[in-house]
Amino acid sequence: SWMQLRERLGPFFWPILVFCGAAALSMLVAYSHRVALRAFHEEVLAPLLYLGLALVYFRTRTDLYRLIFALLGTGLLVALIGLGQYILFKHTLETQQGGLRVYAMYGSANSIGLLFDYVMPLGIAWLVARVALKSRLLAVGVCIVMLPVLYLTFSGGAWLALTVATVFIV
């Protein structure tokens, strides 16, 4: 029920609601309402829906581990595709911001940066968590593979977000 979801969110319910409301209001003053609506969906609404689903359906520690490993696996797969694109298909890449920007299966290199902004902080947090050494090594390996692809996206916003997330984790 809604009450159970609200209880599971705890003190984060009102800040999430305020953030979502402010983001929705910002669409009213946007230059392009279509682009603003798309960004609202991608950056605000979809992640909040995923969070809600995770809070409703993930009950055990095993469920949470499965989600974290799935996200790390997704980041690893996108990183491998990005490296493959850079190594094998350089001629298809566009030169932007002083270098070849990989975009893997996305339409934009910034989308890779956004995905890595979700995945890499989980990997970094996994390094400092009290988990088995094999799990930590796996997280280190995935993050090491993602770093060069993040560099090849030339996404300054992704680097800034990752830096801030790392500071909060530390």
Side-chain angles (χ1 to χ4, degrees), residues 99-153:
L100 298 174
R101 290 185 83 182
V102 298
Y103 53 88
M105 72 282 279
Y106 295 105
S108 167
N110 292 332
S111 295
I112 294 175
L114 183 63
L115 172 71
F116 287 179
D117 283 342
Y118 293 145
V119 174
M120 286 186 79
L122 289 173
I124 294 168
W126 201 256
L127 295 175
V128 296
R130 289 188 217 164
V131 294
L133 182 62
K134 281 198 263 184
S135 296
R136 288 182 186 181
L137 292 175
L138 179 69
V140 166
V142 169
C143 288
I144 287 173
V145 172
M146 283 193 283
L147 277 175
V149 177
L150 185 60
Y151 171 76
L152 292 171
T153 63

Side-chain angles (χ1 to χ4, degrees), residues 2-123:
W2 285 106
M3 278 309 266
Q4 289 174 333
L5 179 62
R6 185 169 173 217
E7 287 173 11
R8 290 195 72 178
L9 284 173
F12 298 108
F13 176 75
W14 289 110
I16 288 172
L17 193 62
V18 168
F19 174 73
C20 205
L25 285 175
S26 72
M27 289 189 305
L28 298 175
V29 297
Y31 180 72
S32 172
H33 295 293
R34 185 178 62 92
V35 173
L37 182 62
R38 180 174 180 245
F40 177 76
H41 175 264
E42 289 178 350
E43 315 281 335
V44 177
L45 190 60
L48 284 177
L49 287 174
Y50 291 141
L51 174 66
L53 288 171
L55 289 174
V56 168
Y57 290 107
F58 292 152
R59 301 279 185 208
T60 65
R61 186 176 291 264
T62 305
D63 292 337
L64 187 60
Y65 286 167
R66 194 176 301 130
L67 173 67
I68 290 172
F69 285 127
L71 287 171
L72 287 173
T74 300
L76 178 63
L77 182 65
V78 170
L80 291 174
I81 290 171
L83 286 174
Q85 182 183 31
Y86 184 76
I87 293 168
L88 301 173
F89 302 106
K90 275 188 181 179
H91 63 281
T92 65
L93 300 176
E94 293 181 23
T95 302
Q96 294 176 350
Q97 299 177 352
L100 298 174
R101 290 185 83 182
V102 298
Y103 53 88
M105 72 282 279
Y106 295 105
S108 167
N110 292 332
S111 295
I112 294 175
L114 183 63
L115 172 71
F116 287 179
D117 283 342
Y118 293 145
V119 174
M120 286 186 79
L122 289 173

